[in-house]
């Protein structure tokens, strides 16, 4: 939808009487079957989703404000507003609302919400009494006028009637003429009445009246009336402050007269609300909601007009970063940007996003890098406020700029290092600036807000950058205050004393370890940061104090949480120095954890080696397996039936026969030779049939069994045997003699070749 006339922003009033932005879209009016009536519909310009669906109720009071606003309440404490981009669009929708309610579009408000009793009284009134009867605007009638204005505030209908009367007769300007006359005559009584009158008119809460009262030719007289509070002995001097003290400074000439007038008006109205008017009572707190809205939408318009003037902003940045700019001028420019950013908080999210991106593209961060390093305290404070707006809006935007900065020879010129130095060197006794900067720095380095889906590597990249270029600046004061000094009083040998700042550094390290983040753990190990902690524990001796307890608790935490990388580092490097400490079981517990993990790793490694050997042992092809099976079968027929339990006295004859067969098949059986294990025992593998090789079993097959073989060092190794028919006894294999060393070396080389080929061929039965 390209019709900008119907382009609107939707706002709702929150509990703090502030307007919340609900989005931008295009408004239309249509009959909605579900609501049974003509309704206002606003669809988002981004995705077409429905931002607002509100039935135009005949009894709802709609207000038209400042030519581009329509405000109404749908329920108790639920106020809505539509801010139109163009006046024409606002007029079209206002006419539609008035058409549904049967009202004259010339009115600024359709009706006020009233209770039943009030409505009944209103119905009983004659039609000629729609306007309140105002006394003549004369000095002698000021008291009567004041009583009338203050008496209607409790009645919505009477407030509306009075507001219409004041607008229709040009009464406001007549009252302000009387003010000038009273002031010339020093008529204090009349001036006190005018204070009550003007204050009451403001509490009527009507935008149409505000447009008149806050115009250029009326606003200073309104402020003058509010100076003469009857409760004060002497009048305030608000006009003197606004005209002489609070001077408007154009850091860059503003050529748009409408923009200049809007800035003046907004400042003065804000001053009236915040300074002049007393804090409203519970009864009066809703009387100024329209005044709040008036200021809010003025700020939105100012920011939009300034942001659209690219020439103006470009010139401001050029002077801000120009080295030839005088300090006083630069101070004014920084204060301007501070107010500019404060006004931007009234923008809706997408517009605020565009606003800060515009500032970033124009170079706000390099400019802050310059001004935050200046000696002027006011400039630094204003620059810090601007920096806080940027960090709160988008920490990633600041991080991206920091990492793209050219790497200077001196790290101190980097923006984050400038922030750190300002934090450390804050001259304020209450450390107000330091606390603010500390919060901003914490936001920037907090890993929890570095999880943006658009940049997966932001956390790693920025933290690496920070540790490389900024950490030494941040920790410099800590290291300077924790340096070791000779203890001249207590130890003539010059031993090291415990610095009183050491427990502060220990708490910092404990906090880091408490995160249980391996990134930090690797950094601690790489820097050998446990060494000073352990030295402090040993130097503390047997004294039972805060330092001792804190260090013991640190190691206890590592043990309980089973932080394996730190446990291994501590035991490998420091256990000899700690094993003598027996008044707690912490360090023995660390050693136990270390041994347990070591055993688990050994077992895991053994399983991996076993799995690897199982993969390699089935390298022989299926044909070789079958040929060996039949060869063994023929040997068995020649030898005769062999009993299962062959005795030792049959061993020589059988052994000779076996060795002859072995020599014949030696080239085929290389893989069946027993291999030495690391412990010195021997490992045997058998594969007697093709069916066993591929994992199949016939109907008459029997379960596999295993035998144990004792090696030279007395260790026992189990080897699987395949049942089939009774063939070669595994007990004989355990007594087989082995070739000499030379043949063994040749066999090992051939085995290596076979193993390599086995990795390339698929395993049978797999």
């Amino acid at each position: 939808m390209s019709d900008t006339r119907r382009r609107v922003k939707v706002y709702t009033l929150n509990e703090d009487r502030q307007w919340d932005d609900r989005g931008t879209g295009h408004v239309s009016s249509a009959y909605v079957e579900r609501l049974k009536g003509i309704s206002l519909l606003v669809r988002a310009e981004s995705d077409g989703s429905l931002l607002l669906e509100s039935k135009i109720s005949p009894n709802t009071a709609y207000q038209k404000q400042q030519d581009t606003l329509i405000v109404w309440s749908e329920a108790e404490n639920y106020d809505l507003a539509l801010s139109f981009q163009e006046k024409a669009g606002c007029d079209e929708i206002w006419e539609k609302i008035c058409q549904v309610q049967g009202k004259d579009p010339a009115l600024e408000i359709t009706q006020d919400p009233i209770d039943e009793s009030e409505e009944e009284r209103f119905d009983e009134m004659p039609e000629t009494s729609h306007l309140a009867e105002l006394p003549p605007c004369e000095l002698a009638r000021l008291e009567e006028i004041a009583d009338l204005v203050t008496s209607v505030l409790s009645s919505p209908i009477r407030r509306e009637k009075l507001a219409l009367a004041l607008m229709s007769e040009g009464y406001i300007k007549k009252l302000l003429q009387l003010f000038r006359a009273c002031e010339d005559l020093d008529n204090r009584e009349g001036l006190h009445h005018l204070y009550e009158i003007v204050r009451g008119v403001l509490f009527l809460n009507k935008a149409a009246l505000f447009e008149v009262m806050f115009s250029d030719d009326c606003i200073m007289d309104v402020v003058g009336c509010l100076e003469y509070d009857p409760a004060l002995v002497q009048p305030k001097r608000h006009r003197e402050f606004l005209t002489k003290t609070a001077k408007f400074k154009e850091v860059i000439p503003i050529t748009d007269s409408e923009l200049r007038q809007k800035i003046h008006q907004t400042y003065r109205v804000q001053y009236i609300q915040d300074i002049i008017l007393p804090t409203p009572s519970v009864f009066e707190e809703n009387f100024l909601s329209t005044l709040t809205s008036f200021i809010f939408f003025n700020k939105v318009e100012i920011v939009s007009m300034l942001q659209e003037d690219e020439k103006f902003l470009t010139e401001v940045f050029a002077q801000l970063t120009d080295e030839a700019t005088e300090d006083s001028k630069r101070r004014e420019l920084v204060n301007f940007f501070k107010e500019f950013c404060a006004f931007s908080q009234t923008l809706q999210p997408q517009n605020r996003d565009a606003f800060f991106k515009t500032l970033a593209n124009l170079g706000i961060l390099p400019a802050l890098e310059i001004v935050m390093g200046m000696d002027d305290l006011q400039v630094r404070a204003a620059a810090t406020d601007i920096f806080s707006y940027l960090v709160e809006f988008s920490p990633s935007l600041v991080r991206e700029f920091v990492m793209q900065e050219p790497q200077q020879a001196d790290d101190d010129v980097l923006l984050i290092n400038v922030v750190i130095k300002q934090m450390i060197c804050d001259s304020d006794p209450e450390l107000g600036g330091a606390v603010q900067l500390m919060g901003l720095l914490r936001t920037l380095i907090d890993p929890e807000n570095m999880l943006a889906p658009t940049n997966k590597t932001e956390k790693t990249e920025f933290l690496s950058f920070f540790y490389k270029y900024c950490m030494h600046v941040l920790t410099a004061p800590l290291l300077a205050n924790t340096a070791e000094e000779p203890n001249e009083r207590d130890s003539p040998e010059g031993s090291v004393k415990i610095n009183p700042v050491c427990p502060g550094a220990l708490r910092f390290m404990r906090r880091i370890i408490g995160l249980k983040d391996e990134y930090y753990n690797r950094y601690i190990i790489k820097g050998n940061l446990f060494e000073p902690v352990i030295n402090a524990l040993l130097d503390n001796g047997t004294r039972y104090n805060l330092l001792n307890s804190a260090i013991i608790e640190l190691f206890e935490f590592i043990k309980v949480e089973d932080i394996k990388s730190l446990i291994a580092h501590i035991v490998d490097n420091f256990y000899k120095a700690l094993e003598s400490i027996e008044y707690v079981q912490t360090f023995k517990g660390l050693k136990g954890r270390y041994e347990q993990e070591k055993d688990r790793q050994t077992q895991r490694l053994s399983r991996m080696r076993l799995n690897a050997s199982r993969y390699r042992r089935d390298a022989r092809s299926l044909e070789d397996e079958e040929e060996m099976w039949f060869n063994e079968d023929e040997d068995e027929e020649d030898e005769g039936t062999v009993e299962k339990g062959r005795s030792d006295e049959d061993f020589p004859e059988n052994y000779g026969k076996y060795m002859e067969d072995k020599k014949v098949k030696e080239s085929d059986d290389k893989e069946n030779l027993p291999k030495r294990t690391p412990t010195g025992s021997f490992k045997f593998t058998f594969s007697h049939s093709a069916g066993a090789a591929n994992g199949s079993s016939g109907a008459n097959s029997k379960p596999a069994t295993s035998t144990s073989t004792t090696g030279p060092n007395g260790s026992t190794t189990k080897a699987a045997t395949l049942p089939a028919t009774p063939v070669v006894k595994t007990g004989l294999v355990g007594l087989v003699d082995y070739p000499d060393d030379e043949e063994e070396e040749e066999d090992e080389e051939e085995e290596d070749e076979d193993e390599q080929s086995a990795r390339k061929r698929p395993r049978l039965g797999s």
Side-chain angles (χ1 to χ4, degrees):
M1 301 172 68
S2 59
D3 188 1
T4 58
R5 293 182 307 165
R6 296 292 185 92
R7 189 171 185 264
V8 296
K9 301 174 186 175
V10 181
Y11 295 92
T12 59
L13 197 65
N14 60 28
E15 296 178 354
D16 298 326
R17 310 303 295 174
Q18 299 294 323
W19 288 103
D20 291 334
D21 194 342
R22 297 302 183 189
T24 300
H26 292 82
V27 63
S28 62
S29 59
Y31 182 83
V32 177
E33 180 67 27
R34 182 175 59 84
L35 299 177
K36 304 296 183 183
I38 301 295
S39 303
L40 297 177
L41 306 174
V42 179
R43 294 195 176 275
E45 64 179 0
S46 58
D47 56 7
S49 60
L50 196 62
L51 297 177
L52 177 69
E53 184 180 59
S54 174
K55 179 182 178 181
I56 303 177
S57 173
N59 299 321
T60 298
Y62 292 86
Q63 290 186 24
K64 183 182 178 185
Q65 303 177 6
Q66 304 181 47
D67 293 332
T68 56
L69 287 173
I70 297 178
V71 183
W72 73 98
S73 299
E74 287 203 342
E76 186 177 358
N77 298 326
Y78 186 68
D79 295 341
L80 289 161
L82 294 179
S83 175
F84 289 79
Q85 181 172 328
E86 297 184 11
K87 179 179 181 298
C90 183
D91 292 340
E92 290 178 4
I93 296 299
W94 181 252
E95 290 177 3
K96 191 66 177 180
I97 293 172
C98 293
Q99 178 185 348
V100 173
Q101 292 194 338
K103 303 294 182 180
D104 184 1
L107 296 176
E108 297 290 336
I109 184 170
T110 58
Q111 55 191 309
D112 260 348
I114 54 178
D115 56 30
E116 293 182 0
S117 58
E118 195 73 34
E119 186 176 7
E120 291 174 0
R121 292 198 301 271
F122 182 73
D123 292 338
E124 294 172 359
M125 293 180 183
E127 295 183 359
T128 57
S129 62
H130 287 313
L131 299 179
E133 295 184 6
L134 291 170
C137 193
E138 301 173 354
L139 286 175
R141 309 293 292 270
L142 285 177
E143 183 177 4
E144 184 181 350
I145 298 171
D147 291 340
L148 174 63
V149 171
T150 55
S151 66
V152 304
L153 297 180
S154 60
S155 169
I157 289 181
R158 297 179 66 191
R159 289 205 311 270
E160 177 64 23
K161 286 184 176 182
L162 179 60
L164 292 174
L166 290 172
M167 289 184 290
S168 63
E169 300 180 15
Y171 210 80
I172 298 296
K173 292 189 176 182
K174 295 178 182 178
L175 286 172
L176 296 179
Q177 290 175 356
L178 285 180
F179 164 72
R180 289 190 288 272
C182 287
E183 199 166 40
D184 291 340
L185 298 171
D186 196 20
N187 183 348
R188 290 301 178 92
E189 183 179 0
L191 292 171
H192 289 164
H193 290 318
L194 284 166
Y195 170 87
E196 297 291 347
I197 293 170
V198 171
R199 181 176 178 271
V201 172
L202 289 174
F203 281 173
L204 292 178
N205 206 25
K206 301 301 177 184
L209 292 176
F210 292 161
E211 293 288 348
V212 176
M213 297 174 74
F214 299 150
S215 61
D216 284 346
D217 55 345
C218 294
I219 189 168
M220 295 309 293
D221 288 333
V222 170
V223 173
C225 292
L226 295 173
E227 291 179 350
Y228 292 94
D229 186 349
L232 300 176
V233 177
Q234 293 294 329
K236 295 288 187 180
R237 297 180 179 273
H238 297 302
R239 285 172 294 173
E240 181 179 343
F241 175 83
L242 289 174
T243 56
K244 296 181 179 180
T245 306
K247 293 183 178 180
F248 176 67
K249 297 180 180 179
E250 296 184 54
V251 292
I252 301 293
I254 298 177
T255 57
D256 190 337
S257 59
E258 182 183 356
L259 173 60
R260 187 187 301 107
Q261 185 273 335
K262 188 72 66 176
I263 293 173
H264 283 298
Q265 183 189 63
T266 304
Y267 177 79
R268 292 165 179 169
V269 175
Q270 186 85 59
Y271 183 85
I272 291 173
Q273 184 186 47
D274 296 342
I275 305 299
I276 299 179
L277 291 178
T279 303
S281 63
V282 176
F283 173 72
E284 300 170 337
E285 63 181 358
N286 292 327
F287 286 174
L288 296 176
S289 61
T290 304
L291 182 61
T292 301
S293 302
F294 185 93
I295 296 171
F296 173 83
F297 291 112
N298 262 19
K299 291 181 177 180
V300 171
E301 191 172 354
I302 290 171
V303 173
S304 299
M305 294 173 72
L306 283 173
Q307 187 177 350
E308 292 170 2
D309 192 345
E310 295 182 0
K311 183 178 179 181
F312 175 82
L313 288 179
T314 302
E315 180 63 24
V316 172
F317 273 102
Q319 293 196 23
L320 185 63
T321 56
D322 188 355
E323 295 181 358
T325 303
E326 297 180 357
D327 290 346
S328 58
K329 181 69 171 180
R330 186 175 281 110
R331 186 184 306 116
E332 294 174 358
L333 291 167
V334 173
N335 286 328
F336 163 76
F337 269 115
K338 176 185 174 182
E339 294 299 320
F340 195 24
C341 291
F343 274 30
S344 72
Q345 302 306 298
T346 61
L347 295 174
Q348 57 186 355
Q350 56 266 40
N351 288 349
R352 191 160 62 247
D353 183 27
F355 169 79
F356 281 110
K357 286 183 177 178
T358 300
L359 293 186
N361 293 335
L362 290 172
I364 185 65
L365 287 169
L368 288 178
E369 197 171 51
I370 296 173
V371 296
M372 289 185 74
M374 296 177 62
D375 295 331
D376 192 316
L377 293 177
Q378 292 184 355
V379 171
R380 289 212 308 260
T384 300
D385 290 337
I386 298 172
F387 186 65
S388 69
Y389 284 122
L390 292 168
V391 172
E392 291 170 8
F393 167 71
S394 176
S396 295
L397 180 69
V398 179
R399 295 189 197 107
E400 183 180 0
F401 165 77
V402 169
M403 289 189 290
Q404 291 177 353
E405 284 184 287
Q407 304 307 322
Q408 305 290 340
D410 185 3
D411 292 342
D412 291 346
V413 301
L414 299 179
L415 178 59
I416 291 190
N417 287 341
V418 172
V419 172
I420 294 173
K421 289 179 63 178
Q422 294 296 332
M423 178 183 70
I424 294 172
C425 302
D426 187 14
S427 58
D428 182 4
E430 297 181 357
L431 300 177
V435 172
Q436 182 183 11
L437 290 171
M438 179 184 67
L440 298 176
L441 184 63
R442 181 173 183 175
T443 301
L444 288 174
I445 64 176
D446 183 6
E448 294 301 322
N449 61 31
M450 297 183 192
L451 305 178
T454 56
N455 188 358
K456 301 289 186 181
T457 62
E458 181 184 25
K459 178 178 179 180
T460 302
E461 291 179 353
F462 181 77
L463 288 180
S464 298
F465 171 89
F466 184 81
Y467 280 112
K468 183 176 181 180
Y469 295 102
C470 308
M471 180 58 78
H472 66 282
V473 180
L474 180 62
T475 57
L478 183 65
L479 297 176
N481 283 282
T482 54
E484 298 176 347
E485 300 177 2
N487 189 344
E488 299 177 356
R489 182 183 61 182
D490 298 335
S491 178
E493 292 81 6
S495 62
V496 178
K497 70 176 181 180
I498 303 302
N499 191 292
V501 188
C502 185
L506 185 65
R507 282 196 296 270
F508 179 65
M509 186 171 181
R510 171 62 176 83
R511 187 70 178 268
I512 293 176
I513 292 176
L515 298 175
K516 295 188 288 186
D517 189 328
E518 281 302 308
Y519 186 92
Y520 293 112
N521 293 342
R522 290 193 298 270
Y523 190 87
I524 290 172
I525 293 171
K526 181 180 178 181
N528 197 25
L529 302 184
F530 275 106
E531 183 176 357
V533 176
I534 292 173
N535 287 338
L537 176 64
L538 298 176
D539 292 338
N540 191 58
T542 59
R543 289 190 294 270
Y544 181 69
N545 51 23
L546 178 62
L547 179 63
N548 176 274
S549 299
I551 295 177
I552 295 297
E553 191 277 334
L554 171 66
F555 288 106
E556 185 68 23
F557 175 83
I558 295 172
K559 183 194 76 173
V560 172
E561 296 297 327
D562 196 18
I563 306 177
K564 295 179 174 57
S565 59
L566 296 183
I567 291 175
H569 174 69
I570 294 167
V571 174
D572 285 339
N573 295 278
F574 305 107
Y575 186 69
K576 288 185 178 180
L578 299 171
E579 62 181 344
S580 61
I581 299 177
E582 297 182 348
Y583 56 87
V584 291
Q585 298 301 310
T586 300
F587 301 107
K588 290 187 177 180
L590 285 173
K591 178 70 170 178
R593 293 273 193 183
Y594 175 82
E595 296 294 345
Q596 291 175 4
E597 179 61 21
K598 192 174 181 180
D599 291 342
R600 282 195 292 267
Q601 294 292 343
T602 302
Q603 293 175 7
R604 188 178 298 115
L605 182 61
S606 299
R607 287 196 297 269
M608 292 172 61
R609 288 176 176 172
L610 180 60
N611 292 335
S613 66
R614 287 175 177 172
Y615 175 79
R616 291 194 299 266
R617 73 184 184 183
D618 289 333
R620 187 186 299 105
S621 64
L622 179 62
E623 290 78 6
D624 293 339
E625 295 277 353
E626 291 177 344
E627 183 179 354
M628 185 182 71
W629 170 262
F630 290 114
N631 288 339
E632 289 179 346
D633 228 10
E634 293 173 355
D635 292 338
E636 289 168 7
E637 291 177 359
D638 294 339
E639 183 180 348
T641 303
V642 182
E643 296 178 359
K644 292 184 180 180
R646 184 169 299 181
S647 62
D648 290 343
E649 61 187 19
D650 297 329
F651 170 72
E653 180 182 354
N654 294 330
Y655 175 73
K657 178 64 175 176
Y658 180 80
M659 288 303 296
E660 290 179 4
D661 294 338
K662 181 176 179 297
K663 290 179 180 178
V664 174
K665 297 181 298 181
E666 195 171 34
S667 60
D668 295 330
D669 292 338
K670 293 294 184 182
E671 297 228 2
N672 286 335
L673 289 177
K675 299 178 182 179
R676 289 184 181 270
T677 65
T679 59
S681 60
F682 298 94
K683 180 174 181 181
F684 301 88
T685 58
F686 300 91
S687 185
H688 293 294
S689 69
N694 61 20
S696 63
S697 59
N700 297 325
S701 62
K702 298 179 182 179
T705 59
S706 63
T707 60
S708 298
T709 304
T710 303
N713 63 353
S715 61
T716 302
T717 302
K718 292 186 177 181
T721 61
L722 299 176
T725 57
V727 197
V728 180
K729 291 302 176 181
T730 57
L732 297 177
V733 179
L735 299 177
V736 172
D737 198 4
Y738 290 91
D740 54 20
D741 292 339
E742 294 180 358
E743 293 178 349
E744 186 172 331
E745 291 176 359
E746 295 175 358
D747 294 341
E748 289 176 355
E749 292 176 358
E750 293 176 4
E751 285 177 9
D752 291 339
E753 295 176 358
D754 292 338
E755 288 175 2
Q756 292 177 1
S757 62
R759 295 190 188 100
K760 299 178 181 178
R761 294 196 301 271
R763 179 181 175 181
L764 296 177
S766 60

